[in-house]
Amino acid sequence: MNGTTVRRVALAIAAAAALTGITACGSSDDSDGSKGADEGKGGLNANPISALRTIQNTTDKADSAKVESETTMGSVMSMEAKGALGWADGLTGNMTITYTGGQMAETMRQAGNTSMEARYLPEAYYARMGEQFAAQAGGKHWVKYAYDDLEKIGGGSGAYMKDAMQNSTPQQSVKMLLASGDVKKVGEEDVRGVNTTHYSGTVDVAELAEKSSGLSESQLADMKNQLEQAGITTETIDIWVNDENLLVKKTERGQMKTGTLSATAYYSDYGTEVSAEEPPADDTADFKDLMNRQPGV
């Protein structure tokens, strides 16, 4: 693997993070926009809206959970992730991410490994690459992705993507349903042996960003253009909640120009201990420095 591939792999991981942030369409804005939706929909949605507010608050106060997820974004990538995340004071945690298909998996194969460890801290996340990558990156195994740097490479969607990644917690999907105002109670279902209540709704991705992200007019225009290029318009979000008003499962489904967008996550062991530390500085390359130092692709 040469220097160009090091740069390509580092950029591919950043691009995957950016794309995930755009399509996940979460926001840290606490306004849920549900008052008007509640009043406009009448009694039909009153109970689901009230229940979702309780679920959001309960999940938020749980502070941490174990997470298992699978994500597919058309032909771009398929990946699996497993670990634990905390959100008491910014997003923290450790996840093992394995790219199982698509262009991203092929790019990672060129780096000698399709699986990596990811550490999340409030201002950055870190990806641990394999020995083949380190051999071409000055012996450094980790790459640091500061959220401010990802914001800069994300074009008009960068600020929104940064916010989505820093707030990528279970309650974000609940906030999205509240903000959309389009939510219904589906019924009672069993999820991995747990009795749950199933809720479902549809989110207009660009409209939600406009309502809750705080982006400037030009940033919104650029982000909408990127969404149009990707073919992303709406997402169907489903959540399953246990008797303690904690999220147990979440799915997001939609369409992209490259194929189907599908994400499923399971949450368990709320309140689990989460500890994430910065990797050793002498074993960490900065994404921004890699982009500046390596030759062009």
Side-chain angles (χ1 to χ4, degrees), residues 53-72:
R53 289 196 185 107
T54 300
I55 294 160
Q56 176 190 335
N57 291 333
T58 304
T59 303
D60 184 33
K61 292 176 181 177
D63 289 346
S64 64
K66 291 183 179 179
V67 184
E68 296 178 50
S69 68
E70 294 182 0
T71 303
T72 297

Side-chain angles (χ1 to χ4, degrees), residues 53-174:
R53 289 196 185 107
T54 300
I55 294 160
Q56 176 190 335
N57 291 333
T58 304
T59 303
D60 184 33
K61 292 176 181 177
D63 289 346
S64 64
K66 291 183 179 179
V67 184
E68 296 178 50
S69 68
E70 294 182 0
T71 303
T72 297
M73 293 184 177
S75 60
V76 177
M77 71 171 182
S78 296
M79 72 177 198
E80 299 174 352
K82 186 174 183 178
L85 294 175
W87 51 88
D89 186 20
L91 182 66
T92 59
N94 298 277
M95 299 288 287
T96 299
I97 299 174
T98 303
Y99 294 95
T100 57
Q103 300 164 13
M104 188 66 192
E106 183 56 37
T107 299
M108 291 294 288
R109 283 190 194 99
Q110 295 178 26
N113 198 348
T114 57
S115 182
M116 69 180 193
E117 179 186 348
R119 290 185 188 175
Y120 297 86
L121 292 168
E123 300 302 325
Y125 85 93
Y126 298 79
R128 192 185 194 285
M129 310 302 295
E131 295 296 334
Q132 191 172 331
F133 180 94
Q136 297 295 328
K140 297 180 179 181
H141 297 82
W142 291 89
V143 180
K144 175 184 178 180
Y145 296 88
Y147 293 128
D148 286 342
D149 293 336
L150 292 178
E151 176 180 353
K152 292 172 186 175
I153 72 159
S157 64
Y160 193 55
M161 180 271 291
K162 173 189 174 184
D163 183 66
M165 289 196 66
Q166 287 182 306
N167 295 280
S168 183
T169 57
Q171 66 268 31
Q172 290 307 313
S173 55
V174 183

